[in-house]
Amino acid sequence: MALSLTSQWILLASGLIAHADEVMAGEECERLMTLVDEEVDGDDYAHWLAIVSNPDRLSEALEAAELPPPESRSQILESAWLMAVVDGERAQVEIDTLERIAKRLGVDRAQ
């Protein structure tokens, strides 16, 4: 079964945040793998595992991705934010990445 756009965006956004500071903490890796395990099945598993493990592929996929429905955009950003805080550290590069994702989604910075 193909992933919904919302699920695709959750994986892309969470993966980008996990890689943003170039240090994949154990908590980030565990959360990212849990998301992949929960969202992806069958033939798509290896495909998505290859994407979320590579920051360049994540960036390319984010830019190429069709926009998800407007009502799912806050859920996507919340999932990305959870990835940013799961390791207990706050990095400016993660905040910058979250803002980049929000901009791509068309979500105003104030929101």
Side-chain angles (χ1 to χ4, degrees):
M1 178 170 77
L3 286 179
S4 70
L5 280 175
T6 301
S7 293
Q8 290 176 44
W9 272 86
I10 287 172
L11 290 175
L12 294 172
S14 297
L16 282 167
I17 295 292
H19 287 284
D21 62 1
E22 299 180 357
V23 176
M24 180 76 78
E27 299 90 353
E28 291 170 323
C29 186
E30 184 177 332
R31 176 161 169 70
L32 190 55
M33 290 309 303
T34 297
L35 287 171
V36 172
D37 287 343
E38 289 175 351
E39 299 292 337
V40 183
D41 60 4
D43 297 334
D44 287 337
Y45 190 85
H47 170 77
W48 277 100
L49 197 56
I51 290 173
V52 299
S53 64
N54 184 314
D56 293 331
R57 288 190 69 185
L58 282 163
S59 290
E60 292 168 5
L62 181 82
E63 293 308 315
E66 180 182 338
L67 290 175
E71 63 272 9
S72 69
R73 294 176 188 179
S74 63
Q75 175 188 2
I76 293 163
L77 292 172
E78 287 173 13
S79 185
W81 178 249
L82 286 174
M83 182 62 77
V85 300
V86 74
D87 64 356
E89 296 182 25
R90 180 175 151 176
Q92 185 60 46
V93 69
E94 291 175 334
I95 295 168
D96 295 343
T97 301
L98 187 64
E99 288 176 353
R100 177 179 144 216
I101 294 164
K103 182 177 179 181
R104 174 73 173 89
L105 286 169
V107 176
D108 186 77
R109 189 173 194 276
Q111 292 177 322

